[in-house]
Amino acid sequence: MKILVVEDEKELLKSICDSLVQEQYLIETAEDFNAASEKIGLYNYDCILLDIMLPGGNGLQLLQQLKDLGKSENVIIISAKDSLDDKLKGLELGADDYLTKPFHNAELNARIKAVLRRKNLDGKDSIIISNLEMDLTERTLTVNGENLALNRKEFDILNYFLLNKNRLVTKTALAEHVWGDNIDQADNFDFIYYQIKNLRKKLQQSDAEIEIEAIYGIGYKLKEK
């Protein structure tokens, strides 16, 4: 899952990022209004942690931008301003939750997981398709009840495919979701091909009742057999 952290306090930003990396999220950051506005316009995120008071602008303006783009339902506002008006305005603009500083990272992690469950899985912690079950909390995959070991990128790739079953997933969208904004520096997508090749082999050997179909020149599509 890819998370954008919009926060200008460097120590707090580092603390949040360190905590979320341990949870195996892909983290991107923005430390001012303009950087956050650019990232919001260019990329999609599974969850956005949004401070209200930012250099160059107000977080509620960013929330309005997200609402205009149809992306505001996965936002958690993090702010030192324990103002009822700010909280109500943020929720009216579509924010999913509001957390007042200071807070414990454990609480933030719990709030993020709740947002992701509501957004992607109707409140559940796992994805079940055919004879596969993916547990997003434990980051495990079973096929016919047997554990199938995946590396971190294989797990993230398969998770993205399962959430987009029967949809065409372009190579660019997959790369941005799993590898983040640094994908802009890549010369080609060969690394995606090799990860998917290994993932396909593992799924086939475990008799998984899904397949990842290549759409020549465009991307991939996951289908049930």
Side-chain angles (χ1 to χ4, degrees):
M1 297 293 177
K2 185 164 69 167
I3 297 176
L4 174 64
V5 184
V6 183
E7 172 59 59
D8 65 310
E9 296 179 31
K10 293 187 181 298
E11 289 187 8
L12 177 58
L13 179 62
K14 183 179 186 303
S15 174
I16 291 173
C17 291
D18 288 346
S19 175
L20 296 181
V21 166
Q22 290 181 0
E23 296 290 326
Q24 301 192 51
Y25 295 119
L26 177 66
I27 308 302
E28 293 170 11
T29 64
E31 298 184 40
D32 58 53
F33 179 89
N34 291 331
S37 179
E38 182 178 5
K39 284 180 178 281
I40 286 167
L42 289 174
Y43 304 105
N44 293 318
Y45 298 93
D46 295 291
C47 185
I48 298 173
L49 307 181
L50 179 62
D51 190 9
I52 289 180
M53 303 300 293
L54 293 167
N58 187 285
L60 293 178
Q61 294 173 278
L62 292 172
L63 194 53
Q64 180 65 61
Q65 180 182 343
L66 285 162
K67 183 178 181 180
D68 294 341
L69 294 169
K71 301 178 179 179
S72 62
E73 77 282 354
N74 58 341
V75 175
I76 299 175
I77 295 173
I78 52 174
S79 176
K81 294 181 65 177
D82 189 14
S83 164
L84 180 60
D85 289 341
D86 285 334
K87 183 180 296 187
L88 292 176
K89 181 63 174 177
L91 296 175
E92 286 173 2
L93 289 171
D96 203 287
D97 205 347
Y98 192 110
L99 193 57
T100 303
K101 302 175 187 176
F103 51 79
H104 293 290
N105 285 330
E107 181 180 4
L108 177 61
N109 290 337
R111 300 282 188 101
I112 290 171
K113 289 176 181 178
V115 167
L116 295 175
R117 284 196 299 269
R118 289 193 293 270
K119 177 177 183 286
N120 295 321
L121 299 171
D122 297 324
K124 302 174 183 177
D125 290 310
S126 61
I127 305 173
I128 300 175
I129 294 179
S130 295
N131 62 340
L132 285 80
E133 180 171 0
M134 174 175 279
D135 188 315
L136 300 181
T137 300
E138 299 296 329
R139 289 184 65 85
T140 58
L141 177 72
T142 59
V143 180
N144 291 321
E146 298 290 330
N147 286 325
L148 176 60
L150 301 179
N151 66 37
R152 177 175 175 177
K153 291 304 183 186
E154 290 168 350
F155 186 95
D156 291 340
I157 289 170
L158 183 58
N159 182 14
Y160 191 66
F161 277 128
L162 292 175
L163 292 173
N164 291 277
K165 185 182 70 168
N166 295 324
R167 297 176 184 169
L168 174 62
V169 174
T170 67
K171 294 178 182 178
T172 301
L174 180 62
E176 287 180 356
H177 184 87
V178 178
W179 279 270
D181 296 351
N182 292 331
I183 191 61
D184 294 341
Q185 303 170 16
D187 295 327
N188 56 57
F189 293 120
D190 286 350
F191 55 94
I192 295 177
Y193 168 78
Y194 290 114
Q195 292 280 358
I196 292 180
K197 179 181 178 181
N198 292 335
L199 177 58
R200 279 171 157 171
K201 182 178 180 181
K202 290 182 178 181
L203 292 172
Q204 184 177 17
Q205 290 176 341
S206 66
D207 294 323
E209 295 174 357
I210 61 169
E211 59 183 356
I212 300 172
E213 176 185 358
I215 310 299
Y216 182 74
I218 302 176
Y220 302 90
K221 181 182 293 187
L222 183 142
K223 300 190 301 183
E224 294 182 69
K225 292 182 179 178

